[in-house]
Amino acid sequence: MGGKDENARSSGISDEELAAFLERAAAGAGEAPREPSARARMVTARLRDQQEPPGWRTGPTGRGTRGGRGRAKRGIKITLAVVFIAGLALVAVRPELVIDRVTGKTAARQDAKALLPAETARPTAAPGAVPPDLPTLAEPFRGSPALRWADGAAGIEVPEATAVDWMPKEKVADALQRVRQFLVAANLDPATLRGERPAAALALLDPQQPDVPQRLEQYLTKPTAQDNPTLLFTRFDPAEVKPVGNVVKVRGSMRVEQGEPGEVRVVTDHTFVHPMTKGGTSVQRTIVRRQITFSLLDPARWKADGNRLQLSEYHAERSNVECEAAGGYVHPMFPQDAPAGTAPTGPATDPYDRSTDIKGGACGTVTRS
């Protein structure tokens, strides 16, 4: 109690000054009254010691301390005033913090940041609703289910390898790693994303597969609206857009199954979320889902390079982009942009819904970005 009395007394602020200060604070004007100098506080304390009878400020707690209680109350008032003003300043600068706390959005956002476990099987429904916040340059995945997805290559999980048909366990494990390398090189490699030739991905494919090497070369050198490299590779025009940060959110799965005699297939299904910006102001999330089936063939039965991947099937779905991939690039469509090219005519879909296969067909709209 004595320590509190000394702190209250050292403030040197009268009741009148405090009342005036609180009135100015409530009106949003004025500054806090300045405290006296150390010498002035010492002189004030000496005068009070001379005027007040012994024991007036040193009596038992709650008894014989009328003056001490008054000074303690003034100290509490000052503390409350400082806290009140700090709270007003916080509300003025970041009102969403208080609003979110009251409405429960803070807890919802914290839950939304917890990473999901790996996807071991196809989900049965689309991701649940999340707080509908807009992306920012600082938080490009805010308001997106992808906030809980893994970062980059960590989202391309490789299942445990087992022997399949003619292929032993060790060779299956090696094939799974090559498939993972292809997906990383085709969708996450910075050089590929900025439109360069996806050399690392192409090097993993079997050059002996009929027609495929020639078709991919045509995609890259002479792209058309239908036949273009974005069917397999994620490429942006660096003169048009730039990535926001260096994180791409990824979620998906892969599995191994037996195909025709002498064939082992690796079936993959992954969604990549790329936050992009135009001019460094607004943010748009480009969402690319790919379903690709790779084949590994037994050289004893097929004309093939047993250490390379062959493409059996590949399907792509791109959201928040222009319908045509002109020039061999994916073109993000920002909210402030006027529609370019063909207008969307297909049904509205949830780009985060991984519970069904890619349907293809007409370019449509999205229910969330």
Side-chain angles (χ1 to χ4, degrees):
M1 186 69 178
K4 291 182 180 178
D5 287 348
E6 289 295 326
N7 289 337
R9 183 171 62 249
S10 66
S11 67
I13 301 174
S14 68
D15 287 339
E16 292 77 7
E17 290 176 304
L18 177 61
F21 165 60
L22 291 176
E23 289 178 1
R24 290 196 302 272
E31 298 180 351
R34 297 182 179 178
E35 293 193 7
S37 65
R39 178 172 179 80
R41 289 198 298 271
M42 292 174 60
V43 172
T44 301
R46 189 180 301 114
L47 291 174
R48 286 175 177 166
D49 289 343
Q50 292 174 359
Q51 294 172 358
E52 295 171 358
W56 193 255
R57 63 185 182 280
T58 59
T61 302
R63 295 183 179 87
T65 57
R66 184 179 62 187
R69 282 200 302 269
R71 287 188 292 273
K73 288 180 180 178
R74 286 198 297 273
I76 293 172
K77 290 179 181 178
I78 294 171
T79 302
L80 291 176
V82 172
V83 172
F84 175 72
I85 294 171
L88 289 177
L90 178 63
V91 172
V93 176
R94 297 288 303 279
E96 71 275 8
L97 295 180
V98 178
I99 296 172
D100 289 354
R101 178 72 66 177
V102 173
T103 60
K105 285 187 177 181
T106 298
R109 287 197 179 100
Q110 290 173 348
D111 292 341
K113 291 182 180 180
L115 289 182
L116 293 172
E119 185 178 287
T120 56
R122 173 175 288 180
T124 58
V130 297
D133 298 317
L134 295 176
T136 66
L137 292 172
E139 297 179 89
F141 300 103
R142 187 175 181 179
S144 164
L147 185 63
R148 301 185 62 190
W149 295 4
D151 294 354
I156 305 177
E157 300 278 349
V158 175
E160 183 177 356
T162 58
V164 179
D165 191 21
W166 59 276
M167 188 176 286
K169 174 181 177 180
E170 294 75 16
K171 196 169 181 65
V172 171
D174 182 64
L176 288 170
Q177 288 299 329
R178 288 203 298 274
V179 168
R180 184 176 188 270
Q181 291 170 12
F182 179 91
L183 295 174
V184 170
N187 299 279
L188 300 174
D189 180 72
T192 301
L193 294 178
R194 60 175 175 261
E196 296 181 16
R197 184 180 179 82
L202 293 171
L204 293 165
L205 299 178
D206 188 350
Q208 299 185 55
Q209 183 176 6
D211 298 330
V212 171
Q214 296 81 3
R215 190 185 313 146
L216 295 183
E217 189 64 29
Q218 180 179 342
Y219 287 176
L220 289 164
T221 57
K222 298 178 180 179
T224 65
Q226 282 71 39
D227 298 327
N228 63 80
T230 63
L231 293 172
L232 272 172
F233 311 107
T234 305
R235 309 169 78 238
F236 298 95
D237 184 350
E240 179 184 17
V241 293
K242 289 182 171 49
V244 179
N246 55 7
V247 174
V248 177
K249 289 290 187 176
V250 183
R251 187 157 182 80
S253 63
M254 67 172 72
R255 69 179 189 273
V256 179
E257 62 183 32
Q258 184 174 341
E260 297 181 29
E263 178 190 26
V264 173
R265 293 179 177 178
V266 180
V267 182
T268 69
D269 182 353
H270 293 83
T271 302
F272 304 85
V273 182
H274 302 263
M276 308 299 292
T277 184
K278 178 187 294 186
T281 53
S282 60
V283 178
Q284 178 64 289
R285 291 185 285 255
T286 296
I287 306 166
V288 180
R289 184 183 177 192
R290 298 193 183 281
Q291 291 182 315
I292 306 175
T293 299
F294 299 87
S295 292
L296 293 105
L297 302 177
D298 183 0
R301 298 191 180 192
W302 300 80
K303 183 180 179 181
D305 184 338
N307 295 317
R308 303 283 188 95
L309 304 172
Q310 293 202 2
L311 292 171
S312 179
E313 296 181 39
Y314 49 93
H315 307 278
E317 184 177 72
R318 301 172 291 270
S319 301
N320 294 330
V321 300
E322 296 178 5
C323 290
E324 287 86 11
Y329 300 113
V330 175
H331 299 280
M333 180 179 290
F334 291 79
Q336 69 272 19
D337 292 345
T342 303
T345 58
T349 59
D350 182 351
Y352 298 98
D353 186 358
R354 298 180 36 77
S355 63
T356 60
D357 283 329
I358 294 175
K359 297 180 177 62
C363 175
T365 58
V366 297
T367 58
R368 57 179 168 179
S369 62

